[in-house]
Amino acid sequence: MAKKSLNEMSFLDHLEELRWLLVRSTSAVLIMAAVTYFFSDFIFDTIIFAPTSPNFFTYTFFCDLSHQLGFADSICITELPFVIQNTAMEGQVNIFIWTCITAGFILAFPFILWELWKFISPALYEKERKNVRVFIFIASILFFLGVLFGYYVIVPMSINFCATFTISKMVQNQFTIDSYIGMIKTSVIASGLFFELPIIIYFLTKLGLVTPTFLRKYRKYSVIVVLLISAIVTPPDVVSQIIVAIPMLLIYEASIFISVFVYKNKKNV
């Protein structure tokens, strides 16, 4: 049977399309999660627990940067005084399963984007539907860049802050495995999705829900939010906060530029 056009589809037809989108996307995530099972040792030892070592790339990079800026060893990290422990009987099993699912979601993200594109494409012009490859490529690149930013910037700075912060010398930092990995998953996924902001703004502007004027109006509030986030996840030094804040502000400015471009095209149609 030929696929119905957008005008021919009822509300239930849209729900049916959405249901199959979720089914296919979930299946893709589970398949990729099964694949990551065979690389679980590498994922845990080389990726997840790597930021617990002072020799992690980000820490050494900041130390070298500190020397170049004339700050000596002010932001060098020589020790991360904490241990990771498991306190639940099934704790490591649950962590293993959900870590594989998270990794599966990251790897399957381009396919999920493809499914989303198929779902929303009937509402787009023919010329826009032809740009599917460009959309998938740019959106995937932005997401993976966000994941890398979260892993190499947000995560190590958060770990360093939490590991070195103490209310008293009487208290030792002993983090549970679920809180440690939960922080990594949240930081990486949230950062990846935040980097999708230009894509989101593109579609919101096309739908008329967002305008460049609106984004410019709330720019000052976005700067405050970004600075607060960078202050929370980084050590109390200006260099680290700037390194976190600049990419996030650039993403927001890029979103404004995209909104302006889309808004002008809409007015010219």
Side-chain angles (χ1 to χ4, degrees), residues 23-36 100-101 104-105 108:
V23 169
R24 290 190 294 267
S25 297
T26 302
S27 299
V29 171
L30 294 178
I31 291 172
M32 297 310 298
V35 172
T36 61
C100 287
I101 291 176
F105 171 79

Side-chain angles (χ1 to χ4, degrees), residues 224-237:
I224 294 174
V225 171
V226 167
L227 291 177
L228 285 175
I229 294 174
S230 62
I232 292 172
V233 303
T234 62
D237 65 83

Side-chain angles (χ1 to χ4, degrees), residues 10-258:
S10 65
F11 176 73
L12 292 179
D13 290 330
H14 284 292
L15 285 181
E16 181 68 10
E17 286 291 321
L18 180 60
R19 183 176 74 87
W20 280 108
L21 180 155
L22 295 174
V23 169
R24 290 190 294 267
S25 297
T26 302
S27 299
V29 171
L30 294 178
I31 291 172
M32 297 310 298
V35 172
T36 61
Y37 167 81
F38 299 99
F39 303 94
S40 57
D41 290 341
F42 174 81
I43 291 174
F44 282 100
D45 297 334
T46 307
I47 298 179
I48 291 180
F49 293 118
T52 63
S53 170
N55 296 322
F56 186 62
F57 170 79
T58 303
Y59 304 139
T60 57
F61 172 79
F62 280 129
C63 189
D64 294 339
L65 182 63
S66 175
H67 292 157
Q68 294 175 7
L69 296 176
F71 296 148
D73 294 334
S74 60
I75 57 176
C76 289
I77 298 172
T78 57
E79 182 184 9
L80 292 169
F82 71 94
V83 296
I84 301 175
Q85 58 181 342
N86 175 50
T87 58
M89 180 73 72
E90 71 286 359
Q92 295 197 54
V93 175
N94 290 336
I95 287 296
F96 179 85
I97 294 173
W98 283 107
T99 299
C100 287
I101 291 176
T102 303
F105 171 79
I106 294 174
L107 294 175
F109 193 76
F111 179 81
I112 296 174
L113 287 174
W114 167 253
E115 289 294 328
L116 286 172
W117 176 270
K118 289 195 300 182
F119 182 73
I120 65 176
S121 60
L124 302 177
Y125 294 111
E126 180 65 26
K127 181 180 178 181
E128 294 169 330
R129 288 198 291 268
K130 293 179 180 179
N131 295 327
V132 56
R133 294 181 180 178
V134 176
F135 166 77
I136 299 297
F137 177 77
I138 294 178
S140 298
I141 291 296
L142 286 173
F143 177 76
F144 291 131
L145 285 176
V147 168
L148 292 175
F149 179 76
Y151 177 73
Y152 282 106
V153 180
I154 303 296
V155 166
M157 288 184 175
S158 299
I159 290 175
N160 176 50
F161 176 79
C162 294
T164 55
F165 181 84
T166 177
I167 58 175
S168 171
K169 293 182 179 179
M170 299 295 293
V171 182
Q172 295 182 342
N173 284 325
Q174 298 181 353
F175 305 138
T176 60
I177 181 67
D178 56 336
S179 66
Y180 172 79
I181 294 185
M183 182 273 295
I184 292 180
K185 289 191 296 185
T186 300
S187 300
V188 167
I189 297 297
S191 181
L193 295 178
F194 178 80
F195 271 56
E196 293 294 300
L197 184 61
I199 303 296
I200 296 173
I201 293 299
Y202 172 86
F203 286 106
L204 290 180
T205 304
K206 287 196 69 65
L207 293 173
L209 300 177
V210 168
T211 64
T213 303
F214 174 85
L215 294 174
R216 292 193 185 103
K217 178 181 178 181
Y218 289 95
R219 176 191 277 128
K220 57 184 178 181
Y221 299 108
S222 69
V223 172
I224 294 174
V225 171
V226 167
L227 291 177
L228 285 175
I229 294 174
S230 62
I232 292 172
V233 303
T234 62
D237 65 83
V238 177
V239 175
S240 300
Q241 293 172 9
I242 291 176
I243 290 175
V244 171
I246 287 179
M248 299 176 73
L249 291 175
L250 289 176
I251 289 292
Y252 189 84
E253 292 300 322
S255 300
I256 296 178
F257 176 79
I258 290 173

